Amino acid sequence: AQQVVKDIKNKPRPTEPKKVIVIGGGLAGLSTAKHLVDAGHIPIVLEARDLLGGKVAAWKDEDGDVTETGLHVFFGAYPNAMTLFKELDIEDRLQWKDHAMIFAKPNSKKREFSIFDFPALPAPLNAGVAILGNTDLLTWPEKIKLGIGLIPAYLFGQSYVEQQEGVTVKEWMRARGVPDRVTDEVFIAMSKALNFIDPDTLSMQCVLIALNRFLQETDGSKIAFLDGSPTERLCEPIREYIESKGGIVRTNAPVQRIITHEEGEYKDSVAGLLLKGNEVVSADYYVSAMPVDAIKKLTPDSWRNKEYFSKMMGLKGVPVINIHIWFDRKLSTVDNLIFSRSKLLSVYADMSETCNEYSSKDKSMLEMVFAPAKGWVGKSDEEIFEATMEELERLFPEEIKADGSLAKVEKFSCVKTATSVYETLPGCEAMRPTQLSPIPNFVMAGDFSKQKYLASMEGAILSGQLAAKTVQDLDIERSAKNYKLPSKLPERPFDASVEFANEVTAPK
Ligand code: FAD
């Protein structure tokens, strides 16, 4: 995994550094720009919003409390994320938790957890002991059926995992004689955590990619929380790194149109980008690091009939909601991530325990992923809050009542993402675009672009490395052949009075 980073650094520096515009300041865009400066090029990140981070973005309310777009955890099996933390010298910002997977037991009389405890043994022994040692979620016949089903994943690794792309979690389990109860009560938690959808729609490949890493790597399933707001504690150091080496990071710079050459030798290649306020920017190369739904909208008409783009049109982001509730007292939670196994909630954590910046000795703040959120993103925050409180009553029967008569709610905040990570349905793997595109000066990044991890922070970071390497390789190859890059549009400063569409045509 760290190989891509090494390859980038080991290649010769360009004699003439190239200007590369990176559209999107989420982790994929920031990772692309970080690795482009390492390659000796000059990236310019254009982020639409006024803050960096995309799906990891976080901001403060008037009390100084942080609201996050999503509850995020890092896994031991995230080598590219770990390399990035190390290179930025911020490894101490990862707060590692006890090696365990903790499942809530909704509808018990009192608040109870079912724990898979991973002992200090090498993989896959630690996972084996964790599974055998858990006696209340899986029966012995279920463990045996599941264990036999997972043997090929362990033995044949990624190639076997990729072959399981066409079936849902539920279909895969049924084909191996694993009862529906296991899917509906145990794998529901994993499906919702991985892709915010239920196991009867999620592709089994997604679950196997995660399980396979957990079985192969001793610390693969170990969980870390960042010690504060991802925008400040992770994106900011990446921005500083990029800028310290000559790159530029702009916020409030939404790209509104990709302008292409309409004819001639460079027909269809990018000539420039139109930003808000009629500003036009141009570069030698362009990298899209937008979410899939955004690049689908911005794809120029003349690109849409190319297989690369027409396939990508089949991908779409899944809705999800992140909700924070501040309570007036400490709840009996644990310092780790909890899989709720409840109908509306996916994972949750008491951030007053798990995260330094949000820590409190006497009050809990529960941060929860509300999924599947289809049918909910259009509802009011109050309706979502009420439904969450009903779920919490089932998870904390002695401490929380939906009517607020036990623990009192001081405030709540709710972030709805109508189209988040791509929905990992069976058959969608073939739709994922590679970083190298059929357009000579256009490269694709983003968690949905082809890389072996899931739609995750790790996947986004790796996609950025691969996109930077693609630009580097293209440029080395072209410089050797004295290839002339497509010409650029003359840049124009902000001028709101000019009607762009009628005025500029791409140079021939
Ligand atoms: P994004 O983060 O979506 O970044 C794309 C950027 O492009 C955005 O900043 C956007 O504003 C910008 N943009 C869009 N259009 C334009 C335009 N026209 N011009 C300029 N900029 C534009 N992953 C994990 O690994 N662990 C977790 O625990 C986890 N939990 C999650 C929980 C939730 C609720 C959510 C929503 C996601 C979670 N993820 C998790 C997934 C993870 O957040 C994403 O996979 C990753 O952050 C995606 O990064 P990205 O850069 O590919 O896309």
Side-chain angles (χ1 to χ4, degrees):
Q2 293 89 325
Q3 197 51 43
V4 185
V5 175
K6 278 195 200 138
D7 284 354
I8 291 174
K9 288 188 176 159
N10 289 340
K11 293 249 168 84
R13 304 296 83 188
T15 39
E16 190 200 333
K18 297 296 183 311
K19 201 170 139 188
V20 188
I21 292 182
V22 180
I23 317 171
L27 288 178
L30 293 171
S31 165
T32 306
K34 189 260 168 211
H35 294 98
L36 280 169
V37 291
D38 289 344
H41 292 297
I42 308 163
I44 297 138
V45 177
L46 302 176
E47 165 54 43
R49 297 167 71 192
D50 60 1
L51 81 175
L52 296 172
K55 287 191 256 297
V56 304
W59 53 90
K60 285 198 172 126
D61 65 15
E62 61 275 14
D63 307 322
D65 292 317
V66 178
T67 290
E68 301 187 339
T69 308
L71 170 60
H72 280 85
V73 296
F74 293 81
F75 286 96
Y78 278 10
N80 297 289
M82 295 310 133
T83 304
L84 181 65
F85 274 83
K86 202 168 178 180
E87 287 187 298
L88 298 169
D89 199 17
I90 54 167
E91 283 165 295
D92 58 345
R93 297 187 182 182
L94 285 171
Q95 297 184 243
W96 292 99
K97 305 301 170 189
D98 288 345
H99 198 173
M101 296 207 117
I102 306 177
F103 291 76
K105 293 171 98 180
N107 303 320
S108 309
K109 287 219 167 55
K110 53 190 180 54
R111 201 277 288 126
E112 273 185 282
F113 296 126
S114 177
I115 302 178
F116 288 85
D117 233 325
F118 287 67
L121 292 171
L125 282 179
N126 59 354
V129 173
I131 294 168
L132 296 180
N134 180 295
T135 48
D136 53 1
L137 274 193
L138 297 169
T139 65
W140 276 102
E142 288 165 354
K143 284 180 192 173
I144 292 166
K145 290 223 168 74
L146 200 56
I148 293 173
L150 289 175
I151 288 174
Y154 178 69
L155 291 180
F156 307 116
Q158 191 77 8
S159 63
Y160 171 81
V161 167
E162 282 168 14
Q163 286 158 23
Q164 310 308 306
E165 210 272 310
V167 288
T168 65
V169 177
K170 196 159 210 165
E171 287 164 350
W172 190 93
M173 294 290 169
R174 278 188 179 162
R176 277 145 195 88
V178 179
D180 281 357
R181 187 201 76 79
V182 176
T183 311
D184 298 339
E185 294 183 23
V186 183
F187 280 89
I188 188 171
M190 208 160 171
S191 302
K192 296 209 298 180
L194 288 170
N195 201 236
F196 318 130
I197 54 177
D198 284 325
D200 47 356
T201 43
L202 180 69
S203 164
M204 186 61 191
Q205 189 197 25
C206 194
V207 170
L208 283 175
I209 287 177
L211 283 180
N212 192 36
R213 298 264 57 87
F214 297 171
L215 289 174
Q216 309 273 356
E217 293 170 35
T218 299
D219 289 332
S221 53
K222 219 172 163 183
I223 285 172
F225 284 71
L226 190 64
D227 64 357
S229 148
T231 292
E232 281 174 25
R233 305 290 291 168
L234 175 57
C235 299
E236 231 6 70
I238 314 179
R239 185 185 64 76
E240 281 164 19
Y241 183 98
I242 296 165
E243 292 184 343
S244 73
K245 300 199 171 208
I248 296 169
V249 179
R250 283 178 61 181
T251 48
N252 278 316
V255 172
Q256 294 188 326
R257 219 178 93 192
I258 297 173
I259 309 157
T260 55
H261 290 274
E262 282 166 16
E263 49 195 57
E265 192 187 346
Y266 298 116
K267 185 171 178 306
D268 289 343
S269 59
V270 184
L273 302 173
L274 171 68
L275 308 193
K276 192 176 68 176
N278 281 326
E279 186 183 356
V280 174
V281 287
S282 297
D284 298 303
Y285 293 95
Y286 302 83
V287 179
S288 169
M290 292 180 271
V292 70
D293 296 277
I295 178 62
K296 273 167 65 179
K297 266 195 220 133
L298 282 198
T299 301
D301 286 346
S302 61
W303 295 1
R304 288 176 183 259
N305 56 2
K306 296 184 194 293
E307 201 190 3
Y308 176 93
F309 292 100
S310 64
K311 275 189 181 164
M312 184 188 79
M313 297 294 161
L315 296 173
K316 65 173 180 12
V318 64
V320 70
I321 298 167
N322 200 52
I323 177 159
H324 314 61
I325 305 184
W326 283 263
F327 289 94
D328 69 342
R329 67 194 71 175
K330 209 67 177 168
L331 301 166
S332 55
T333 51
V334 287
D335 178 12
N336 213 325
L337 184 77
I338 296 156
F339 294 84
S340 83
R341 293 172 68 229
S342 76
K343 201 164 133 268
L344 294 176
L345 297 181
S346 168
V347 285
Y348 73 88
D350 182 347
M351 298 300 271
S352 73
E353 291 289 319
T354 56
C355 174
N356 266 354
E357 190 181 342
Y358 316 149
S359 88
S360 162
K361 283 200 178 56
D362 45 22
K363 292 178 181 183
S364 285
M365 188 273 265
L366 295 185
E367 184 169 337
M368 294 154 277
V369 177
F370 188 107
K374 202 167 168 217
W376 283 95
V377 277
K379 296 198 183 185
S380 71
D381 288 4
E382 283 66 29
E383 283 173 289
I384 295 162
F385 166 72
E386 277 164 26
T388 305
M389 287 298 285
E390 279 171 29
E391 296 273 290
L392 288 179
E393 182 171 322
R394 286 190 276 278
L395 291 166
F396 296 85
E398 295 163 306
E399 293 162 283
I400 299 178
K401 280 262 172 289
D403 61 9
S405 55
L406 294 177
K408 302 265 177 304
V409 172
E410 295 191 330
K411 65 177 176 181
F412 73 94
S413 75
C414 196
V415 185
K416 302 171 193 160
T417 305
T419 52
S420 74
V421 296
Y422 76 94
E423 196 171 14
T424 315
L425 303 176
C428 75
E429 195 55 36
M431 302 171 190
R432 295 176 70 186
T434 50
Q435 286 72 40
L436 183 69
S437 89
I439 309 298
N441 60 353
F442 179 84
V443 169
M444 192 76 82
D447 60 359
F448 67 92
S449 67
K450 202 88 171 168
Q451 41 81 19
K452 69 175 186 157
Y453 288 89
L454 306 166
S456 62
M457 296 187 284
E458 170 72 2
I461 292 166
L462 175 57
S463 81
Q465 295 173 7
L466 294 168
K469 186 169 181 303
T470 303
V471 171
Q472 183 185 43
D473 289 346
L474 282 173
D475 198 57
I476 291 173
E477 192 188 311
R478 288 171 183 176
S479 302
K481 289 186 192 153
N482 270 333
Y483 172 97
K484 209 171 128 289
L485 282 164
S487 54
K488 304 174 219 168
L489 282 178
E491 304 221 5
R492 291 184 320 162
F494 173 87
D495 179 0
S497 64
V498 182
E499 180 52 51
F500 169 81
N502 303 327
E503 206 220 341
V504 176
T505 45
K508 305 260 151 32

